[in-house]
Amino acid sequence: MNISKLLAPVILAIVALFFIAPNMTNFRVPAGYAGYIYTVPIFGKSSFKEVIIGPASTGWRWRVAGQLVSVTPYTYPETFVGQAAALAKDKLSLDANSHIVWRLKGEPQEIRRFLESFGGWDSHATPDDVAKEAYDQYIKEPFRTETRTIIAQYDGLSVNAELTTISRSIKDEVVKRLAGTPFEVLDVVMGSAQPPENVIEAISRKVASHQELEQRAIQLQIAEKNVEIERAVGEAAGARTAAQASEEAKAITVIKAVLSPEYIEYLGMQNIKGAERVIVPAGSNILIGAGDKPSGRKP
Protein backbone atom coordinates (compact mmCIF):
# COMPACT_ATOMS: atom_id res chain seq x y z
CA MET A 1 0.00 0.00 0.00
CA ASN A 2 1.29 3.44 -0.95
CA ILE A 3 1.47 5.45 2.26
CA SER A 4 1.75 8.75 0.37
CA LYS A 5 -1.61 8.17 -1.23
CA LEU A 6 -3.15 7.57 2.16
CA LEU A 7 -1.62 10.71 3.64
CA ALA A 8 -2.59 12.97 0.77
CA PRO A 9 -6.22 13.54 1.92
CA VAL A 10 -5.03 14.10 5.45
CA ILE A 11 -2.51 16.66 4.29
CA LEU A 12 -5.15 18.42 2.21
CA ALA A 13 -7.51 18.50 5.18
CA ILE A 14 -4.79 19.96 7.39
CA VAL A 15 -3.98 22.59 4.77
CA ALA A 16 -7.67 23.46 4.42
CA LEU A 17 -8.07 23.62 8.17
CA PHE A 18 -5.06 25.78 8.94
CA PHE A 19 -4.69 27.84 5.78
CA ILE A 20 -7.74 28.00 3.58
CA ALA A 21 -10.55 28.15 6.18
CA PRO A 22 -9.17 31.13 8.13
CA ASN A 23 -8.87 33.10 4.92
CA MET A 24 -12.46 32.58 3.84
CA THR A 25 -14.92 35.27 4.97
CA ASN A 26 -18.67 35.79 4.74
CA PHE A 27 -19.11 39.46 5.73
CA ARG A 28 -22.66 40.20 6.92
CA VAL A 29 -24.33 43.61 6.77
CA PRO A 30 -27.39 44.14 9.03
CA ALA A 31 -30.41 46.22 8.06
CA GLY A 32 -29.79 49.96 8.43
CA TYR A 33 -26.10 49.62 7.62
CA ALA A 34 -23.86 49.60 4.58
CA GLY A 35 -20.73 47.51 4.19
CA TYR A 36 -17.59 48.76 2.49
CA ILE A 37 -16.00 45.53 1.20
CA TYR A 38 -12.29 45.36 0.43
CA THR A 39 -9.62 42.71 -0.19
CA VAL A 40 -7.03 41.67 2.33
CA PRO A 41 -4.17 40.21 0.27
CA ILE A 42 -1.33 38.28 1.87
CA PHE A 43 1.12 40.49 0.06
CA GLY A 44 0.55 43.95 -1.38
CA LYS A 45 -2.14 46.57 -0.81
CA SER A 46 -5.82 46.02 -0.17
CA SER A 47 -8.32 47.24 -2.72
CA PHE A 48 -11.97 48.21 -2.81
CA LYS A 49 -14.38 45.54 -3.99
CA GLU A 50 -17.93 46.86 -3.53
CA VAL A 51 -20.49 48.45 -1.22
CA ILE A 52 -23.44 46.34 -0.16
CA ILE A 53 -26.54 47.67 1.62
CA GLY A 54 -27.97 45.54 4.40
CA PRO A 55 -29.49 43.24 5.11
CA ALA A 56 -27.06 41.30 2.92
CA SER A 57 -23.77 39.40 3.00
CA THR A 58 -20.81 38.83 0.71
CA GLY A 59 -21.00 35.04 0.75
CA TRP A 60 -17.85 33.04 1.40
CA ARG A 61 -14.93 34.77 -0.26
CA TRP A 62 -11.17 34.55 -0.18
CA ARG A 63 -9.57 37.11 2.10
CA VAL A 64 -12.13 39.92 2.05
CA ALA A 65 -13.16 42.19 4.90
CA GLY A 66 -15.57 45.06 5.39
CA GLN A 67 -16.34 48.13 7.43
CA LEU A 68 -19.85 48.91 8.58
CA VAL A 69 -21.31 52.40 8.50
CA SER A 70 -24.81 53.38 9.53
CA VAL A 71 -27.24 54.80 6.97
CA THR A 72 -29.98 55.43 9.55
CA PRO A 73 -30.66 58.96 10.87
CA TYR A 74 -28.79 60.43 13.81
CA THR A 75 -30.00 63.26 16.04
CA TYR A 76 -27.54 65.53 17.80
CA PRO A 77 -28.41 68.47 20.06
CA GLU A 78 -26.51 71.72 20.37
CA THR A 79 -26.95 74.05 23.34
CA PHE A 80 -26.23 77.76 23.55
CA VAL A 81 -25.94 78.81 27.20
CA GLY A 82 -23.85 81.05 29.41
CA GLN A 83 -20.88 82.52 27.59
CA ALA A 84 -21.93 80.60 24.46
CA ALA A 85 -25.52 81.94 24.49
CA ALA A 86 -27.05 83.06 21.21
CA LEU A 87 -27.43 86.79 20.59
CA ALA A 88 -30.69 88.16 19.20
CA LYS A 89 -31.14 91.12 16.86
CA ASP A 90 -31.80 93.47 19.79
CA LYS A 91 -28.61 92.19 21.50
CA LEU A 92 -30.60 90.16 24.01
CA SER A 93 -28.68 87.09 25.16
CA LEU A 94 -30.66 83.84 24.80
CA ASP A 95 -30.15 80.39 26.30
CA ALA A 96 -31.27 78.09 23.49
CA ASN A 97 -31.05 74.58 22.16
CA SER A 98 -31.41 73.12 18.70
CA HIS A 99 -31.46 69.61 17.24
CA ILE A 100 -30.33 68.39 13.85
CA VAL A 101 -31.40 65.13 12.22
CA TRP A 102 -28.99 63.85 9.57
CA ARG A 103 -27.65 60.69 7.99
CA LEU A 104 -25.03 59.39 5.63
CA LYS A 105 -26.41 59.24 2.11
CA GLY A 106 -27.28 55.64 1.32
CA GLU A 107 -26.09 55.37 -2.28
CA PRO A 108 -23.08 53.02 -2.69
CA GLN A 109 -21.00 55.72 -4.37
CA GLU A 110 -21.62 58.09 -1.43
CA ILE A 111 -20.64 55.41 1.07
CA ARG A 112 -17.39 54.82 -0.77
CA ARG A 113 -16.73 58.58 -1.07
CA PHE A 114 -17.30 59.07 2.65
CA LEU A 115 -14.87 56.32 3.63
CA GLU A 116 -12.19 57.21 1.10
CA SER A 117 -12.41 61.02 0.92
CA PHE A 118 -14.05 62.23 4.15
CA GLY A 119 -12.05 60.33 6.75
CA GLY A 120 -14.69 57.75 7.50
CA TRP A 121 -12.23 54.90 7.43
CA ASP A 122 -11.65 53.39 10.86
CA SER A 123 -11.74 49.62 10.92
CA HIS A 124 -11.57 49.56 14.73
CA ALA A 125 -14.43 52.02 15.42
CA THR A 126 -18.12 51.22 15.73
CA PRO A 127 -20.54 52.73 13.18
CA ASP A 128 -21.85 55.09 15.87
CA ASP A 129 -18.32 56.28 16.62
CA VAL A 130 -17.71 56.86 12.92
CA ALA A 131 -20.92 58.87 12.65
CA LYS A 132 -20.06 61.01 15.70
CA GLU A 133 -16.62 61.75 14.30
CA ALA A 134 -18.15 62.75 10.96
CA TYR A 135 -20.62 65.04 12.74
CA ASP A 136 -17.91 66.74 14.77
CA GLN A 137 -15.74 67.31 11.71
CA TYR A 138 -18.25 68.34 9.05
CA ILE A 139 -21.70 69.18 10.46
CA LYS A 140 -21.39 70.58 13.97
CA GLU A 141 -19.83 73.95 13.21
CA PRO A 142 -22.00 74.78 10.15
CA PHE A 143 -25.04 73.86 12.22
CA ARG A 144 -24.05 76.02 15.20
CA THR A 145 -23.00 78.93 12.98
CA GLU A 146 -26.24 78.98 11.00
CA THR A 147 -28.30 78.67 14.18
CA ARG A 148 -26.64 81.77 15.61
CA THR A 149 -26.97 83.63 12.31
CA ILE A 150 -30.70 82.95 11.97
CA ILE A 151 -31.50 83.78 15.62
CA ALA A 152 -29.66 87.09 15.18
CA GLN A 153 -32.32 88.09 12.61
CA TYR A 154 -35.07 88.19 15.26
CA ASP A 155 -35.73 90.25 18.37
CA GLY A 156 -35.11 88.18 21.49
CA LEU A 157 -38.67 88.09 22.80
CA SER A 158 -40.09 87.13 19.39
CA VAL A 159 -37.88 84.07 18.82
CA ASN A 160 -40.22 81.58 20.52
CA ALA A 161 -43.11 82.74 18.34
CA GLU A 162 -41.07 82.00 15.20
CA LEU A 163 -39.52 78.63 16.07
CA THR A 164 -40.97 76.84 13.04
CA THR A 165 -39.72 79.48 10.63
CA ILE A 166 -36.33 79.62 12.33
CA SER A 167 -35.97 75.81 12.21
CA ARG A 168 -36.75 75.76 8.49
CA SER A 169 -34.31 78.59 7.77
CA ILE A 170 -31.50 76.87 9.70
CA LYS A 171 -32.11 73.62 7.82
CA ASP A 172 -32.05 75.37 4.43
CA GLU A 173 -28.75 77.08 5.20
CA VAL A 174 -27.05 73.96 6.59
CA VAL A 175 -28.17 72.01 3.51
CA LYS A 176 -26.44 74.63 1.36
CA ARG A 177 -23.30 74.44 3.47
CA LEU A 178 -23.18 70.63 3.15
CA ALA A 179 -23.87 70.50 -0.57
CA GLY A 180 -21.31 68.28 -2.25
CA THR A 181 -20.75 66.15 0.84
CA PRO A 182 -22.05 62.62 1.52
CA PHE A 183 -24.22 63.96 4.38
CA GLU A 184 -27.96 64.55 4.18
CA VAL A 185 -29.80 66.91 6.56
CA LEU A 186 -33.31 65.60 7.21
CA ASP A 187 -34.60 68.13 9.72
CA VAL A 188 -33.72 70.86 12.19
CA VAL A 189 -35.81 71.50 15.29
CA MET A 190 -35.22 74.73 17.16
CA GLY A 191 -36.09 74.46 20.85
CA SER A 192 -37.30 77.25 23.10
CA ALA A 193 -35.01 80.23 23.65
CA GLN A 194 -35.05 82.07 26.96
CA PRO A 195 -33.09 85.04 28.30
CA PRO A 196 -30.96 84.37 31.39
CA GLU A 197 -32.78 84.39 34.73
CA ASN A 198 -31.60 87.88 35.72
CA VAL A 199 -32.82 89.26 32.38
CA ILE A 200 -36.20 87.56 32.80
CA GLU A 201 -36.54 89.14 36.26
CA ALA A 202 -35.68 92.57 34.87
CA ILE A 203 -38.21 92.15 32.06
CA SER A 204 -40.85 91.03 34.58
CA ARG A 205 -40.24 94.11 36.69
CA LYS A 206 -40.46 96.34 33.64
CA VAL A 207 -43.71 94.72 32.52
CA ALA A 208 -45.17 95.03 36.03
CA SER A 209 -44.20 98.73 36.19
CA HIS A 210 -45.72 99.32 32.76
CA GLN A 211 -48.94 97.58 33.78
CA GLU A 212 -49.10 99.65 36.97
CA LEU A 213 -48.66 102.86 34.97
CA GLU A 214 -51.39 101.79 32.58
CA GLN A 215 -53.69 101.00 35.50
CA ARG A 216 -53.05 104.41 37.05
CA ALA A 217 -53.68 106.10 33.72
CA ILE A 218 -57.01 104.29 33.45
CA GLN A 219 -57.93 105.29 37.01
CA LEU A 220 -57.06 108.93 36.18
CA GLN A 221 -59.25 108.79 33.09
CA ILE A 222 -62.11 107.38 35.17
CA ALA A 223 -61.68 110.13 37.78
CA GLU A 224 -61.62 112.83 35.10
CA LYS A 225 -64.72 111.35 33.50
CA ASN A 226 -66.49 111.32 36.88
CA VAL A 227 -65.65 115.01 37.33
CA GLU A 228 -67.05 115.77 33.89
CA ILE A 229 -70.21 113.84 34.70
CA GLU A 230 -70.66 115.66 38.00
CA ARG A 231 -70.05 118.99 36.27
CA ALA A 232 -72.59 118.12 33.59
CA VAL A 233 -75.13 117.01 36.19
CA GLY A 234 -74.62 120.26 38.14
CA GLU A 235 -74.94 122.35 35.00
CA ALA A 236 -78.12 120.50 34.05
CA ALA A 237 -79.60 121.03 37.53
CA GLY A 238 -78.70 124.73 37.39
CA ALA A 239 -80.26 125.02 33.97
CA ARG A 240 -83.48 123.43 35.23
CA THR A 241 -83.57 125.77 38.25
CA ALA A 242 -82.96 128.81 36.04
CA ALA A 243 -85.64 127.70 33.62
CA GLN A 244 -88.09 127.17 36.48
CA ALA A 245 -87.28 130.59 37.95
CA SER A 246 -87.73 132.18 34.53
CA GLU A 247 -91.12 130.56 34.13
CA GLU A 248 -92.15 131.66 37.62
CA ALA A 249 -91.04 135.21 36.88
CA LYS A 250 -93.09 135.21 33.71
CA ALA A 251 -96.10 133.96 35.64
CA ILE A 252 -95.66 136.66 38.27
CA THR A 253 -95.41 139.32 35.56
CA VAL A 254 -98.63 138.07 33.98
CA ILE A 255 -100.38 138.00 37.33
CA LYS A 256 -99.18 141.51 38.22
CA ALA A 257 -100.43 142.74 34.89
CA VAL A 258 -104.03 141.62 35.63
CA LEU A 259 -104.10 142.44 39.34
CA SER A 260 -105.46 146.01 39.11
CA PRO A 261 -106.68 147.70 42.34
CA GLU A 262 -110.30 147.22 41.24
CA TYR A 263 -109.67 143.47 40.62
CA ILE A 264 -108.05 143.09 44.01
CA GLU A 265 -111.06 144.93 45.56
CA TYR A 266 -113.36 142.59 43.72
CA LEU A 267 -111.48 139.56 45.01
CA GLY A 268 -111.83 140.98 48.49
CA MET A 269 -115.56 141.15 48.08
CA GLN A 270 -115.60 137.62 46.71
CA ASN A 271 -113.98 136.41 49.90
CA ILE A 272 -116.84 137.89 52.08
CA LYS A 273 -119.49 135.39 52.92
CA GLY A 274 -122.64 135.79 50.88
CA ALA A 275 -124.92 136.84 53.76
CA GLU A 276 -122.53 139.52 54.83
CA ARG A 277 -121.82 140.95 51.39
CA VAL A 278 -123.50 144.25 50.21
CA ILE A 279 -122.85 145.73 46.80
CA VAL A 280 -122.66 149.53 46.76
CA PRO A 281 -122.61 151.80 43.78
CA ALA A 282 -119.57 151.96 41.61
CA GLY A 283 -116.94 154.35 42.70
CA SER A 284 -117.68 153.91 46.33
CA ASN A 285 -114.92 152.65 48.52
CA ILE A 286 -117.28 151.53 51.24
CA LEU A 287 -117.74 147.85 51.83
CA ILE A 288 -120.42 147.27 54.52
CA GLY A 289 -121.15 143.90 55.90
CA ALA A 290 -124.81 143.01 56.11
CA GLY A 291 -124.62 142.47 59.86
CA ASP A 292 -123.11 145.86 60.64
CA LYS A 293 -125.20 148.92 61.68
CA PRO A 294 -124.46 152.35 60.33
CA SER A 295 -123.26 154.68 63.01
CA GLY A 296 -125.32 157.97 63.35
CA ARG A 297 -126.47 158.01 59.76
CA LYS A 298 -129.84 157.52 58.16
CA PRO A 299 -130.28 155.57 55.01
Side-chain angles (χ1 to χ4, degrees), residues 259-267 269:
L259 287 179
S260 63
E262 292 82 2
Y263 183 64
I264 295 174
E265 188 175 301
Y266 170 75
L267 292 177
M269 290 187 295

Side-chain angles (χ1 to χ4, degrees), residues 248-259:
E248 291 177 352
K250 290 180 181 179
I252 292 172
T253 301
V254 172
I255 292 172
K256 289 178 66 177
V258 299
L259 287 179

Side-chain angles (χ1 to χ4, degrees), residues 93-164:
S93 178
L94 298 174
D95 289 343
N97 63 83
S98 188
H99 298 75
I100 187 170
V101 183
W102 70 280
R103 69 179 179 186
L104 185 64
K105 294 177 181 177
E107 296 81 4
Q109 66 273 18
E110 295 293 344
I111 302 297
R112 181 179 182 182
R113 191 159 71 101
F114 167 63
L115 288 166
E116 295 180 357
S117 303
F118 284 80
W121 185 273
D122 190 341
S123 58
H124 300 290
T126 66
D128 291 344
D129 293 336
V130 171
K132 183 63 169 63
E133 183 67 21
Y135 173 78
D136 290 341
Q137 289 188 15
Y138 297 102
I139 302 174
K140 181 176 181 176
E141 284 310 312
F143 176 41
R144 290 184 64 88
T145 299
E146 294 303 333
T147 299
R148 290 181 179 279
T149 300
I150 300 301
I151 290 177
Q153 298 175 10
Y154 295 83
D155 289 334
L157 297 182
S158 67
V159 168
N160 286 335
E162 301 292 341
L163 291 179
T164 300

